[in-house]
Amino acid sequence: MPRSTKPSFVLELPLRVDSSQNCELQARFNAAIRLYNNVLGEAKTRMELVRNSEVYQTAKKISRNHKKERSSAFSKAREAYRFTDYDLQAYANQAARGSKWIPQKIDAQVQQKLATRAFKAVERVLFGRAKDVRFKVESRFRSVEGKTNKQGIRWKDNRVVWAGLELPAIIDTENVVVQHGLSCPVKYCRLIRRELNGKRRWFVQLVLEGVPYQKPQNYVSDGLIGLDLNVSKIAFVADNHADLLPFADKVPTFGKEITRLQRKIQRSQRGLNPDNFESDFKVRKGRKTVIKKGKPKKGKQQWKKSSNYRKIASLKRELERRKTAYAKSQNRRVVNEILRHGKNIKTENVSVKGWQKRYGKAISAKSPGFVQSELKRKAENAGGSFAKFSTQKTALSQTHLDGSRIKKSLSQRVHRDVMGIPEHHRDLFSAFLSRYVNQDKLVLQDAQNEYLGLEPILLEAHQRYLTRKQVSHCVAERSLSGGFLRSKLRGVPPVVASGEPVRVGASESRKSDSPSERVSNESLIASQIAESGEKLDEDVA
């Protein structure tokens, strides 16, 4: 009988850690890395044995219509070579006992959770959901967790207790979200290691039983929503509202700073490891002959890293972490705005992974997949639904209100319908049609009947989008002219009509370090707006 699951959520709190506790935690994480890699190697070996066994090959030939027989055959193949979660947990405990120092650092509960973590990673390869798994290095191993709140890593009296360590948490007593979380029973704890501003910081994630606190402004309404997800923005049409919202709006990309640091890193690598690179070569570019740097040699594992290299790499990681934090904060605002108007969502089944191959940098800056997954999770948790339909069968970006289909180029962002209705934004009209798709078929009669009622909403949303776009271009022009004025006025900031000074031409790295301040700042300069050119504006329909 499957174990019943109860709803849970996560509350994260920072920990107050002194130098001795920091060293001890670091040692315990190092022990966890060694054990995890050991179990991961054993799991990969057992997985290959399962794959090559005759029982497994026979199970693959069983028809998918016979689900019970097929599942039973696969289970026998895995049990024959002890490729199960419990077998790997037993192996992890045995491997830890064979070491002299690992049992002194991490308890049996953590050992078993590490084995489960390795098993799930390798299982994804067996199911074809991943190509391979990687062994962890120190910079990529950031968490350990227990199984219950009774043994091992525990939460007790507003502090983390773990085998002689007591780590008090920093609690904001006026934060209603924190107070709600601390009032719920704790299932288990997870310790997190992060590097912020070049310094190691420790956090605890409490996995709590219950539902998270919902802020009054982030309410969820009943209603139907049609979505059209693109690379850099999302269009939605609800019963009484429609909008076209950008992803990660006004989020700094730190492009110039990161590029400058990458060049420093490359120079340091080539200077310290000349044997790991191929020789430079000359190429012709028109009438000129230029020298190109040789590529790194394959299979080189020994790389020398100077202290300056590590410092520069730490700065680059901090900028990328900050950029990601800002983007997530803004994208969560987009999710909350959509759910205020409905929780029953219909959208096209687009492939974000396919977009990554074509629009890699745009996907990295905007994170449409994160918005899609957050919408699905929050809508279903609120009792709503998240339905996907086929893009090829519906072709909403090509469909007109009379049912005819006319192809558009990606650069054509305005929908001009053959029935003579007013012009609409292409994404907004696709989102409108998404509301009337059932089982991969567009119910055209329902769309025609309800169009007149939603036409003012669609036109208003289109005009709102054009206004925002015009304002962003004005801010960009003002920032470019401000750079020239600053060179002339020597630090005197320009003044807008309201009399408030505007900061222009400042470097992104000298802005406030607080994500909330950075996200709420409405007068960001053009270099901070992530790729506001034509490439991100021309989305995939």
Side-chain angles (χ1 to χ4, degrees), residues 14 21 36 39 85 92 110 234 268 287 301 387 447 473 517 531:
Q21 292 172 337
Y36 173 82
V39 178
D85 186 10
V110 175
I234 185 170
S268 178
R287 297 182 179 180
Q301 297 182 354
H473 284 305
E517 294 178 10
E531 300 293 331

Side-chain angles (χ1 to χ4, degrees), residues 310-354:
R310 298 178 189 276
K311 181 180 178 180
I312 298 171
S314 176
L315 292 175
K316 177 176 171 291
R317 287 195 302 269
E318 174 61 21
L319 291 179
E320 291 173 341
R321 181 201 64 81
R322 197 180 299 176
K323 178 181 68 173
T324 303
Y326 299 153
K328 278 190 174 182
S329 177
Q330 286 293 68
N331 285 340
R332 286 193 175 106
R333 292 186 180 184
V334 172
V335 172
N336 292 332
E337 174 64 23
I338 294 174
L339 292 177
R340 290 189 190 102
H341 303 283
K343 60 182 179 181
N344 298 307
I345 300 173
K346 293 183 179 181
T347 183
E348 294 177 323
N349 187 17
V350 295
S351 175
V352 180
K353 289 186 177 180

Side-chain angles (χ1 to χ4, degrees), residues 39-264:
V39 178
L40 188 69
E42 178 66 19
K44 291 180 67 175
T45 301
R46 297 185 183 186
M47 181 198 67
E48 292 298 329
L49 293 174
V50 172
R51 270 182 169 178
N52 298 328
S53 64
E54 295 182 0
V55 181
Y56 183 83
Q57 298 299 328
T58 304
K60 288 177 65 177
K61 298 178 182 178
I62 300 176
S63 174
R64 295 182 183 273
N65 298 328
H66 303 85
K67 294 183 179 180
K68 290 186 178 180
E69 183 181 355
R70 183 181 174 90
S71 177
S72 176
F74 279 126
S75 297
K76 290 180 180 178
R78 295 167 69 169
E79 290 174 359
Y81 293 95
R82 295 178 297 170
F83 183 67
T84 64
D85 186 10
Y86 294 108
D87 287 328
L88 286 174
Q89 288 184 21
Y91 174 81
N93 293 140
Q94 181 181 0
R97 287 194 299 268
S99 172
K100 295 182 179 179
W101 64 288
I102 289 182
Q104 300 175 1
K105 297 297 181 183
I106 53 178
D107 55 272
Q109 303 286 325
V110 175
Q111 295 169 14
Q112 293 173 9
K113 289 293 286 189
L114 290 172
T116 301
R117 186 169 163 185
F119 169 74
K120 289 182 177 179
V122 178
E123 192 179 38
R124 294 183 72 248
V125 180
L126 183 65
F127 290 159
R129 298 173 185 170
K131 292 183 179 180
D132 198 4
V133 290
R134 297 180 180 179
F135 292 97
K136 296 288 186 179
V137 296
E138 182 179 356
S139 60
R140 293 182 178 272
F141 190 87
R142 303 183 182 94
S143 67
V144 295
E145 62 184 27
K147 299 181 72 172
T148 65
N149 198 42
K150 298 179 180 179
Q151 300 174 351
I153 305 175
R154 293 170 292 155
W155 176 257
K156 183 178 180 182
D157 298 333
N158 293 338
R159 63 185 61 214
V160 176
V161 179
W162 184 23
L165 284 178
E166 292 190 7
L167 311 173
I170 302 174
I171 299 175
D172 185 2
T173 57
E174 298 181 357
N175 192 327
V176 292
V177 177
V178 173
Q179 293 304 315
H180 170 76
L182 294 178
S183 64
C184 299
V186 180
K187 288 186 174 181
Y188 60 91
C189 303
R190 182 184 298 121
L191 282 177
I192 306 293
R193 176 179 59 184
R194 291 199 180 98
E195 185 178 337
L196 306 179
N197 292 325
K199 296 182 180 179
R200 189 180 297 115
R201 295 287 184 266
W202 299 92
F203 299 84
V204 59
Q205 286 185 351
L206 304 178
V207 181
L208 306 168
E209 182 181 327
V211 294
Y213 178 82
Q214 187 177 33
K215 296 180 180 179
Q217 67 270 23
N218 294 336
Y219 60 89
V220 179
S221 301
D222 292 325
L224 178 64
I225 287 183
L227 277 186
D228 186 76
L229 183 73
N230 289 321
V231 173
S232 64
K233 52 184 177 288
I234 185 170
F236 74 94
V237 178
D239 298 334
N240 301 310
H241 186 76
D243 210 341
L244 185 60
L245 302 176
F247 294 137
D249 189 25
K250 298 180 181 179
V251 169
T253 58
F254 303 108
K256 294 181 180 180
E257 286 87 344
I258 291 177
T259 301
R260 192 180 303 117
L261 293 175
Q262 285 175 334
R263 289 173 179 171
K264 290 183 178 180

Side-chain angles (χ1 to χ4, degrees), residues 224 346 389-390 393-396 399-405 429-451 454:
L224 178 64
K346 293 183 179 181
F389 53 85
S390 172
K393 292 181 180 180
T394 55
L396 298 184
T399 304
H400 291 243
L401 202 55
D402 63 344
S404 60
R405 293 185 181 181
F429 195 78
S430 297
F432 162 73
L433 295 178
S434 298
R435 294 166 50 89
Y436 311 105
V437 175
N438 291 321
Q439 297 180 353
D440 292 343
K441 292 184 179 181
L442 174 62
V443 184
L444 197 62
Q445 187 64 39
D446 293 346
Q448 293 173 351
N449 294 338
E450 298 192 17
Y451 169 75
L454 293 176

